[in-house]
Amino acid sequence: MPNFPRELAIEKNRTLLLEPSILLLCFSEKINRERLTATLKKLNLEVVDNPGVTHAKGPLINNTNTRIWVRTVDGSAVTADQYGALAKLSSLQWIGPAYQVPGTRQSDIVCVLPHALIVEFRAGVPSVEMGAGLQEVAQRSAMLNGRHYFEVSNPMQQNALVLKDVLLKQFGDQVAA
């Protein structure tokens, strides 16, 4: 597994907790669900519609033609071998970590998108050249009240969760959050 943080601060005194048995797969094109299910079975993984619970009692997670939630069949953490095999799937763009929202129903699972990074620059700093691997999407930035939306060029090699910490160390005096 990549170095997804075990905890992510989302608000003052509130964190998300990594759910290591669940991942979100994002493909660049519509996938054949039967073929994916057969591949996952060989890896001791399965497609799920509600990754937080076995018998859905709350809101269901919405799989789409290109985004599919998967989990280990036995509830154990996804192994490096399983992750590596998933990373080789045809048309896979990225693999996202699943996080549990503490203090909520077990079905409240979210994915922090590993290909997107929102940056707020300190007052007086209009923008910073963030370097290779990040590309600002002006249309999305325009809707973020002064924040800037960047996409990671290859989230399978270096995801936004890792890049965030790198950027804070490198540009900490220019970046507000």
Side-chain angles (χ1 to χ4, degrees):
M1 286 272 290
N3 294 328
F4 294 131
R6 300 220 32 92
E7 295 182 354
L8 285 177
I10 56 171
E11 297 172 350
K12 192 175 191 178
N13 299 324
R14 193 157 183 213
T15 59
L16 298 176
L17 303 174
L18 182 67
E19 174 45 69
S21 66
I22 301 170
L23 297 169
L24 179 60
L25 308 180
C26 179
F27 296 89
S28 60
E29 57 191 45
K30 182 178 176 179
I31 58 151
N32 179 315
R33 185 129 171 199
E34 288 178 14
R35 202 171 15 206
L36 177 62
T37 299
T39 300
L40 293 173
K41 188 173 184 177
K42 294 175 190 173
L43 298 171
N44 197 35
L45 298 168
E46 62 186 357
V47 173
V48 289
D49 291 315
N50 190 347
V53 293
T54 304
H55 301 288
K57 295 179 183 173
L60 293 178
I61 295 298
N62 186 20
N63 286 323
T64 69
N65 290 331
T66 58
R67 292 189 182 183
I68 302 291
W69 290 91
V70 299
R71 71 173 166 200
T72 57
V73 172
D74 62 5
S76 62
V78 174
T79 67
D81 288 342
Q82 288 169 316
Y83 188 92
L86 290 171
K88 294 176 184 174
L89 292 174
S90 176
S91 77
L92 184 71
Q93 289 185 307
W94 50 260
I95 300 174
Y99 285 89
Q100 170 74 40
V101 182
T104 62
R105 298 179 309 271
Q106 186 179 353
S107 62
D108 289 340
I109 300 287
V110 297
C111 176
V112 177
L113 301 178
H115 73 294
L117 188 63
I118 297 175
V119 177
E120 182 177 352
F121 298 109
R122 293 196 187 279
V125 179
S127 68
V128 173
E129 176 58 46
M130 300 305 261
L134 283 175
Q135 179 68 42
E136 184 168 6
V137 180
Q139 279 184 309
R140 292 192 178 196
S141 291
M143 297 183 282
L144 295 176
N145 293 332
R147 292 182 178 94
H148 299 263
Y149 182 95
F150 290 89
E151 287 190 352
V152 179
S153 61
N154 191 344
M156 293 299 291
Q157 289 182 352
Q158 189 171 27
N159 65 58
L161 298 169
V162 173
L163 278 175
K164 175 188 153 216
D165 292 335
V166 170
L167 292 174
L168 285 173
K169 286 179 185 171
Q170 188 174 359
F171 300 106
D173 58 333
Q174 298 165 323
V175 176

